[in-house]
């Protein structure tokens, strides 16, 4: 349970538990391997002149071979990982010795930026899916202007002013919502979600299965399912006035607020990325290249993308500019609606505050039922001290 709490950012509750860096180490290892593979692919394509898709397929096949051999012999896993890393290091050393600074940036630094950025953007977009109203709202705000001349002329002439527009329009609205988050009463939030948590966990099979996923050896649960179900069911038998909820609020009050702010900023980033992609695709599909050049008074350059041998000409220039301008407008519109309209405000509040509060109670209640609350239950006579009975988590 401590691993589940730490994954969702509530590690302060289980700070006295032994440190467990396995999940962080796994993420770092995955990011390193993906970055190394991307760097080797870039080197083969842009420095050795190999075809993009044959190179990608070759790297993928080598990965499959490595995984297959690792299933037969465990030590192959470490050898394969080390082999990729050694080859990549050799490439970096070669580029450095030959003075190819561009290649060093392309193969040694850019892959890490791409991998981390893509994974972060994916998580942010995934979080934004919890606010289902932003896509139709964006279409209402930007679809009609997108099909007229003025936004294309303005976006083409604005250049870096679009960034300035985003700053002076979106930042104040975001700051208002952040101020609301910093003033939230966590105890009221937890008491508000307690009935939903209690009702949802009458049959705690889902929690039990998720707990198995957090164990390094899930088989330790075999034969103990009934005992774990009884423990979970008893932990969720609470009322609105249960003192445990107040204690849990005291432990996490400040930390929860900053987690909510971080979650809101990630959601805002995800919405901005999703809006930009949506508007760009609509502009590409709806506005012919000649008309875009006429409206923007600017030529449209084309980027070539090779998709399995099919060369796709991707329009750049004014298409990118108008997507940036209108996604900024749509994002500002979304923030305005979220601060004034209950339908959008409730959806945003649920994604940032209510749902995480439910997750907090789902994991915290059975955890404190076993270990007690650090600094609170440990001071009570007969209480179980944190860190005891760890074999039951």
């Amino acid at each position: 349970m401590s691993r589940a709490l730490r994954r969702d950012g509530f590690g302060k509750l289980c700070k006295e538990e032994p440190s467990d860096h396995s999940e962080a180490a796994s993420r770092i290892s995955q990011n390193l391997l993906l970055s190394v593979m991307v760097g080797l692919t870039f080197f083969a394509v842009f420095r050795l002149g190999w075809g993009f898709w044959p190179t990608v397929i070759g790297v993928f096949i080598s990965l499959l071979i490595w995984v297959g051999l690792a299933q037969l012999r465990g030590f192959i896993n470490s050898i394969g990982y080390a082999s990729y890393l050694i080859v990549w290091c050799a490439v970096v050393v070669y580029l450095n010795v030959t003075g190819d600074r561009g290649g060093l940036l392309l193969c040694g630094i850019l892959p890490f930026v791409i991998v981390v950025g893509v994974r972060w953007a994916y998580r942010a977009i995934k979080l934004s899916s919890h606010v289902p109203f932003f896509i139709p709202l964006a279409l209402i705000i930007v679809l009609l202007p997108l099909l007229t001349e003025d936004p294309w002329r303005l976006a083409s002439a604005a250049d870096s002013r679009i960034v300035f527009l985003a700053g002076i329009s979106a930042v104040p609205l975001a700051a208002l919502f952040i101020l609301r988050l910093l003033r939230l009463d966590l105890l009221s939030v937890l008491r508000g979600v307690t009935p939903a948590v209690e009702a949802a966990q009458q049959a705690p099979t889902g929690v039990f299965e998720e707990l198995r996923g957090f164990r390094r050896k899930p088989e330790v649960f075999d034969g103990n399912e009934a005992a774990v179900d009884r423990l979970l069911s008893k932990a969720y038998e609470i009322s609105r006035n249960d003192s445990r909820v107040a204690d849990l609020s005291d432990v996490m009050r400040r930390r929860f607020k900053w987690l909510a702010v971080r979650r809101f900023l990630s959601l805002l980033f995800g919405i901005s990325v999703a809006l930009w992609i949506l508007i760009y695709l609509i502009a590409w599909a709806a506005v012919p290249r000649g008309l875009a050049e006429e409206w923007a008074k600017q030529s449209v350059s084309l980027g070539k993308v090779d998709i399995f041998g099919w060369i796709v000409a991707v329009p750049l220039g004014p298409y990118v500019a108008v997507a940036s301008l209108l996604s900024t407008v749509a994002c500002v519109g979304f923030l305005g609606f979220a601060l004034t309209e209950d339908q959008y405000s409730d959806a945003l509040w649920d994604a940032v505050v209510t749902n995480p509060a439910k997750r907090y109670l789902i994991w915290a209640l059975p955890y404190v039922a076993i270990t007690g609350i650090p600094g609170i239950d440990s001071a009570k006579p007969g209480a179980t001290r944190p860190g005891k009975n760890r074999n039951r988590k």
Side-chain angles (χ1 to χ4, degrees):
M1 292 179 188
S2 59
R3 296 181 68 189
L5 287 166
R6 286 166 175 162
R7 179 203 61 179
D8 289 337
F10 307 124
K12 185 177 180 180
L13 182 63
C14 52
K15 62 183 179 181
E16 296 187 21
E17 294 285 341
S19 299
D20 182 4
H21 303 293
S22 59
E23 187 173 352
S26 177
R27 286 197 302 267
I28 293 173
S29 178
Q30 292 173 7
N31 288 338
L32 178 60
L33 178 60
L34 289 174
S35 301
V36 165
M37 296 179 72
V38 171
L40 293 176
T41 301
F42 284 176
F43 177 74
V45 173
F46 297 107
R47 290 299 182 266
L48 300 182
W50 295 5
F52 178 75
W53 288 111
T55 302
V56 171
I57 293 173
V59 171
F60 181 70
I61 291 175
S62 70
L63 183 62
L64 290 180
I65 295 174
W66 168 26
V67 172
L69 292 175
Q71 296 298 319
L72 300 177
R73 293 288 186 273
F75 67 89
I76 297 294
N77 188 33
S78 299
I79 294 177
Y81 194 98
S83 299
Y84 280 108
L85 191 59
I86 290 171
V87 173
W88 176 80
C89 288
V91 168
V92 171
V93 170
Y94 167 77
L95 293 172
N96 187 49
V97 170
T98 56
D100 189 352
R101 303 305 180 193
L104 192 61
L105 175 64
L106 179 67
C107 306
I109 299 177
L110 185 60
F112 291 90
V113 176
I114 292 175
V115 169
V116 174
V118 168
R119 298 191 70 167
W120 182 44
Y122 170 76
R123 289 195 298 269
I125 292 175
K126 185 178 179 180
L127 180 61
S128 69
S129 65
H130 293 285
V131 187
F133 305 109
F134 80 90
I135 290 182
L137 176 63
L139 291 177
I140 292 172
I141 294 174
V142 305
L143 185 57
L144 184 59
L146 179 64
L147 303 179
T148 60
E149 178 180 359
D150 291 341
W152 292 81
R153 290 287 302 276
L154 176 60
S156 179
D159 198 18
S160 59
R161 288 178 176 269
I162 297 177
V163 178
F164 181 67
L165 171 65
I168 64 172
S169 57
V171 170
L173 295 177
L176 288 176
F177 193 82
I178 290 174
L179 185 62
R180 181 185 173 190
L181 292 175
L182 294 177
R183 290 177 174 175
L184 69 84
D185 183 358
L186 180 57
L187 180 57
S188 298
V189 173
L190 293 180
R191 284 176 173 169
V193 302
T194 293
V197 172
E198 190 174 17
Q201 304 306 325
Q202 292 301 318
T205 304
V207 177
F208 174 79
E209 291 302 323
E210 195 165 353
L211 280 174
R212 290 178 64 93
F214 280 105
R215 300 291 300 198
R216 291 193 182 91
K217 297 180 178 180
E219 62 273 9
V220 299
F221 281 112
D222 294 341
N224 298 319
E225 291 89 345
V228 175
D229 279 347
R230 285 195 300 271
L231 171 65
L232 293 174
S233 298
K234 184 177 180 180
Y236 295 128
E237 291 174 358
I238 55 177
S239 65
R240 286 174 179 260
N241 297 320
D242 194 319
S243 61
R244 282 180 293 175
V245 176
D247 291 340
L248 290 172
S249 172
D250 290 337
V251 172
M252 197 59 60
R253 181 180 289 112
R254 180 176 297 180
R255 174 66 175 166
F256 189 91
K257 293 178 182 180
W258 288 110
L259 286 173
V261 171
R262 188 179 70 181
R263 195 174 293 109
F264 167 67
L265 294 177
S266 294
L267 186 146
L268 188 60
F269 174 77
I271 286 178
S272 301
V273 172
L275 286 174
W276 189 94
I277 294 173
L278 174 66
I279 295 169
Y280 175 82
L281 292 176
I282 293 176
W284 185 7
V287 181
R289 179 183 172 188
L291 183 59
E293 291 178 338
E294 179 182 346
W295 281 352
K297 306 302 180 184
Q298 178 184 351
S299 62
V300 176
S301 58
L302 298 176
K304 304 293 185 179
V305 178
D306 185 354
I307 303 179
F308 294 103
W310 181 32
I311 305 300
V312 178
V314 180
L316 304 175
Y319 285 88
V320 174
V322 77
S324 302
L325 174 64
L326 293 183
S327 63
T328 299
V329 173
C331 190
V332 171
F334 170 78
L335 285 173
F337 276 93
L339 290 170
T340 56
E341 295 289 334
D342 290 342
Q343 184 180 22
Y344 301 103
S345 179
D346 291 345
L348 183 59
W349 189 259
D350 287 345
V352 173
V353 175
T354 305
N355 293 336
K358 291 179 183 178
R359 296 289 297 174
Y360 177 46
L361 285 186
I362 286 173
W363 295 121
L365 287 172
Y367 177 81
V368 301
I370 299 173
T371 66
I373 300 179
I376 298 177
D377 286 350
S378 58
K380 298 178 182 178
T384 303
R385 292 182 61 81
K388 300 294 185 182
N389 300 323
R390 289 194 182 102
N391 59 312
R392 296 171 62 186
K393 294 194 288 297

